[in-house]
Amino acid sequence: MNRGSLLAASDDLEAHFKDAMAALAGGVCVVTTTGPDGVPYGFAATSVTSVSLDPPMMLVCQAKSSRSYELFAGAGPVAVNMLAAGQRPVAERFAAPVDDKFTDAGFEYADGLAPVLPGALASVQCRRVRTIDAGDHSVLLLHVRAVRTAPGEPLIYHGRRYERLELTHRG
Ligand SMILES: Cc1cc2nc3c(=O)[nH]c(=O)nc-3n(C[C@H](O)[C@H](O)[C@H](O)COP(=O)(O)O)c2cc1C
């Protein structure tokens, strides 16, 4: 093992850390909420994980540089939509700092809930219970309220690229 490559100089640490996280394949999600004005907000995210089964909880990390940061930090309903491989255009739209991400994107809306995306492999409807400050990000701690799942192939992000899984378990 090349131990030298592990001992990055401190001014290189951020770049090395980014490289390390780029090596971690992640399922791409679109995280949504509805603002107090009824306007939907959302961003693409891979910093998503389960936290607890009893009660069911998950978390999402959001950059403070995100334009929707204040909204999510104080949000009530939050939905995590786990994208299917064919939903790359949705991911790209929600990863861009643009207005009007939701027009013609096909989301479903219900009073008091966050928008959910038909065709996603899973949509997890949550309530935010806490926002934890974490450096240049915040951690949104979410209580799971309802779940919808569908079969299909996931959209993966790895090595700074969108990828599809090579499924080996199909006959
Ligand atoms: C594959 C992928 C994963 C991302 N994961 C996250 C994430 O976990 N948290 C985050 O805050 N931003 C993440 N981003 C960046 C946001 O999607 C991007 O900054 C977006 O423009 C934020 O939207 P907003 O500024 O309109 O709120 C990711 C982007 C991509 C392409």
Side-chain angles (χ1 to χ4, degrees):
M1 179 192 279
N2 179 359
R3 291 196 63 83
S5 65
L6 283 176
L7 300 170
S10 60
D11 56 347
D12 285 343
L13 188 57
E14 185 176 319
H16 284 266
F17 181 43
K18 282 183 177 174
D19 288 346
M21 295 316 295
L24 181 65
V28 182
C29 302
V30 166
V31 182
T32 63
T33 190
T34 305
D37 47 5
V39 175
Y41 296 87
F43 63 100
T46 48
S47 294
V48 171
T49 192
S50 58
V51 171
S52 162
L53 259 183
D54 184 17
M57 299 176 83
M58 62 189 301
L59 66 76
V60 174
C61 299
Q62 186 179 28
K64 292 179 181 173
S65 57
S66 219
R67 299 171 320 147
S68 57
Y69 165 72
E70 295 290 346
L71 263 145
F72 277 93
V78 175
V80 181
N81 299 278
M82 299 161 190
L83 300 191
Q87 294 179 314
R88 177 174 171 172
V90 185
E92 288 171 337
R93 185 194 285 209
F94 279 81
V98 295
D99 294 329
D100 214 10
K101 296 178 182 180
F102 286 84
T103 301
D104 299 327
F107 280 81
E108 291 173 0
Y109 302 90
D111 280 350
L113 298 178
V116 295
L117 183 63
L121 295 189
S123 291
V124 184
Q125 190 68 242
C126 305
R127 295 286 303 177
R128 185 190 60 85
V129 288
R130 201 183 307 165
T131 299
I132 301 159
D133 189 69
D136 57 9
H137 279 59
S138 64
V139 180
L140 303 170
L141 192 59
L142 308 173
H143 184 186
V144 175
R145 308 296 291 273
V147 174
R148 184 166 78 188
T149 61
E153 201 188 319
L155 180 63
I156 301 291
Y157 201 71
H158 176 250
R160 301 184 174 92
R161 297 165 48 144
Y162 292 98
E163 301 279 3
R164 298 174 85 113
L165 272 186
E166 212 172 289
L167 296 178
T168 53
H169 59 274
R170 287 190 183 150

